[in-house]
Amino acid sequence: MPKLAICRAENSNLPDAPANYYLRITYFLQIDKIMNTYPTLKKLGYTDPGTDHCSARRASPSAVTLPITIGDHPLFYLITPEMLQLTEQVWLNEGRVSRTFAALPARAREQYNRSLLVGDIVATNGVENIVSTRREAYTALTAPGGARVRHASFASLLSLLLRPNRTPSPSSAPDFTTLTDIRRIYDRVTTGEIAPENQPDGELFRAGPVGVISASQKILHHGFTPEEKIAEALQTAINEWLNSSSTRLNAAIVGHLIFEIAHPFYDGNGRTGRYLLTAQLAQALSITTALKISSAILDNRADYYRHFAAVEDPRNYAETTHFIAFFLELVLEAQESILVELTENGRVLRDFIDDVDVQFPDQTSAAIMRTLAQNQVFLPEAETTLDELAHELGVSKATVRGRLEGLLANGVIKFVSHRPIRVVLAGAYARA
């Protein structure tokens, strides 16, 4: 009977290396190509100082200029051939992700997205230099009302994005079409987690100055002031989300950049910004891809901040072309990681089901084992309740309880708790 080895985006045919190492090398070679064929304005200022490259780029038919000023310059970007190629590859990858995802059983699909959500919470904490485990994040996700876990409110709101056909209600994922919506999202994401001295003190956002400080106490970034400028910037982001100047994917990326540059709150900007980013990417791509982006940002945090800083460098005149190209690379990396995980874990699950069909002739017992396997392979932290199994299998709780006792006697499951009953696989089927 096979143990269930959980794939973590590593290719077993390659030499030992950190997760995503080879994917990152491949894609970031493309970024080097873009930098060489389309240099930054800062670089051109050194190599060709006699030419007004900024004016030439702004006058290009492929230039997009937005009504927001970074330093002394309006934010703009060019839709370059390389950017079009990256975008096309993103769409092609989305098709591959969708087909691979659709081939999985329904519960496996649900649990994989929940696993990505757990990873998103861990990554969001990591970007803010907060160390948390997947178990802690899973607790925040499954019991936000009763567990004192940092970012439980963020987890609760993010989980609503997994319900695309939800009926609008006070507990639904909020829209964000106005500045008031942005503030409402902030309040929901940070409920009970902002110190009194860091509460917004303006009409909607902060009234005073704020700076982003590194671990070495170096100021990395100053947010916009006064509040009127913050509001103007966020309104530009909202307008892009509602009616993009180019593609919805670019709008999601640029809107994220604008939010982070504006830095509208004293505390909680990271959580709020990443919720908005995930929600907007889910409008352009699958929720599966959108939930993987925070992990990609964390894996490439130094490069992310470097491209972010380059936009604010006055020698680049607020051009965001390279930031968008870099972010498209992050999307590609996230998609490739998803494909590796889905393919490998799908294979593990198929092998498991083949074995179960031989070892457990009783259909209900086999169905229980298949359900537990989908949980374990695609969301290792999951513990399945008696109620969930009865609902999943369409049988009575008494029937499930009887089969669980038999599986317990055979040593293939164990009870994590008895009130309520929660079980996981055990013995030869236990987690690797």
Side-chain angles (χ1 to χ4, degrees):
M1 291 181 281
K3 280 195 173 186
L4 301 188
I6 311 303
C7 173
R8 291 293 183 209
E10 296 167 324
N11 191 326
S12 59
N13 295 323
L14 298 174
D16 290 340
N20 290 339
Y21 173 81
Y22 294 98
L23 299 177
R24 291 168 64 186
I25 289 295
T26 300
Y27 283 124
F28 285 92
L29 286 174
Q30 294 184 39
I31 278 289
D32 289 340
K33 175 185 175 184
I34 291 172
M35 295 294 285
N36 290 330
T37 59
Y38 186 82
T40 63
L41 290 170
K42 175 182 175 180
K43 182 176 181 179
L44 288 173
Y46 293 114
T47 60
D48 188 14
T51 303
D52 186 359
H53 292 282
C54 180
S55 295
R57 288 184 177 182
R58 288 186 182 277
S60 169
S62 65
V64 175
T65 303
L66 299 179
I68 173 176
T69 300
I70 308 296
D72 297 325
H73 309 286
L75 182 151
F76 82 101
Y77 62 91
L78 261 65
I79 302 175
T80 65
E82 291 84 1
M83 189 186 294
L84 290 174
Q85 291 171 0
L86 289 171
T87 303
E88 180 183 45
Q89 187 59 53
V90 167
W91 302 137
L92 291 173
N93 273 9
E94 270 303 285
R96 295 171 60 204
V97 168
S98 296
R99 290 189 296 273
T100 307
F101 189 72
L104 296 172
R107 188 171 187 84
R109 296 197 299 268
E110 175 186 351
Q111 297 297 64
Y112 181 69
N113 274 345
R114 296 184 76 198
S115 178
L116 292 181
L117 208 160
V118 168
D120 191 303
I121 297 166
V122 172
T124 293
N125 286 348
V127 171
E128 298 182 17
N129 296 312
I130 300 167
V131 177
S132 58
T133 66
R134 284 182 59 90
R135 172 58 62 183
E136 290 170 338
Y138 179 73
T139 300
L141 174 63
T142 55
R148 297 183 60 84
V149 181
R150 182 172 172 82
H151 295 183
S153 299
F154 172 71
S156 177
L157 187 59
L158 201 61
S159 67
L160 296 176
L161 295 176
L162 296 179
R163 306 174 192 174
N165 298 318
R166 61 186 180 273
T167 300
S169 70
S171 62
S172 296
D175 294 324
F176 31 92
T177 58
T178 68
L179 295 174
T180 302
D181 290 334
I182 300 295
R183 173 56 190 271
R184 187 179 298 115
I185 289 169
Y186 169 80
D187 290 339
R188 290 184 63 175
V189 165
T190 63
T191 299
E193 296 178 356
I194 303 298
E197 64 271 19
N198 288 329
Q199 293 288 337
D201 52 359
E203 184 178 347
L204 289 174
F205 310 110
R206 59 177 169 79
V210 70
V212 179
I213 303 175
S214 69
S216 61
Q217 300 303 303
K218 177 183 177 181
I219 296 179
L220 302 175
H221 168 69
H222 289 284
F224 281 177
T225 52
E227 187 181 15
E228 289 76 10
K229 186 175 182 180
I230 295 173
E232 290 172 359
L234 295 184
Q235 188 61 58
T236 298
I238 290 171
N239 292 344
E240 280 298 293
W241 293 334
L242 296 177
N243 187 21
S244 173
S245 299
S246 57
T247 67
R248 297 194 72 168
L249 183 54
N250 284 348
I253 297 169
V254 172
H256 167 70
L257 176 65
I258 291 172
F259 182 92
E260 296 299 333
I261 289 176
H263 219 72
F265 306 103
Y266 295 113
D267 188 19
N269 292 284
R271 280 160 279 173
T272 307
R274 272 181 287 282
Y275 171 81
L276 293 170
L277 172 64
T278 302
Q280 276 302 314
L281 286 175
Q283 298 294 317
L285 306 169
S286 64
I287 184 62
T288 304
T289 296
L291 287 171
K292 195 71 169 178
I293 295 301
S294 288
S295 295
I297 291 175
L298 179 62
D299 289 343
N300 301 279
R301 179 164 43 174
D303 286 330
Y304 171 86
Y305 287 130
R306 179 169 59 83
H307 282 86
F308 181 93
V311 174
E312 294 191 294
D313 190 321
R315 292 165 293 185
N316 283 321
Y317 298 92
E319 182 176 10
T320 66
T321 307
H322 295 86
F323 182 89
I324 294 173
F326 167 76
F327 211 97
L328 290 171
E329 295 286 355
L330 292 183
V331 175
L332 288 170
E333 179 180 323
Q335 290 172 322
E336 290 293 343
S337 178
I338 290 167
L339 288 166
V340 170
E341 291 179 355
L342 290 180
T343 300
E344 179 60 20
N345 289 342
R347 180 193 61 78
V348 171
L349 181 62
R350 287 192 299 273
D351 290 346
F352 178 93
I353 290 174
D354 289 343
D355 184 78
V356 163
D357 289 342
V358 173
Q359 299 292 333
F360 300 92
D362 177 73
Q363 292 186 0
T364 302
S365 296
I368 290 172
M369 294 294 288
R370 286 194 292 268
T371 299
L372 297 181
Q374 290 177 62
N375 288 349
Q376 180 165 305
V377 173
F378 291 94
L379 181 59
E381 295 76 19
E383 297 166 349
T384 311
T385 67
L386 173 67
D387 289 350
E388 287 176 317
L389 288 170
H391 177 75
E392 181 84 8
L393 275 59
V395 297
S396 68
K397 294 180 186 180
T399 298
V400 173
R401 187 180 289 107
R403 297 304 195 281
L404 289 178
E405 293 295 342
L407 294 171
L408 178 66
N410 287 333
V412 295
I413 68 165
K414 67 177 180 180
F415 284 65
V416 179
S417 73
H418 290 273
R419 292 186 178 181
I421 291 177
R422 290 184 291 122
V423 297
V424 296
L425 294 173
Y429 293 106
R431 297 170 182 146

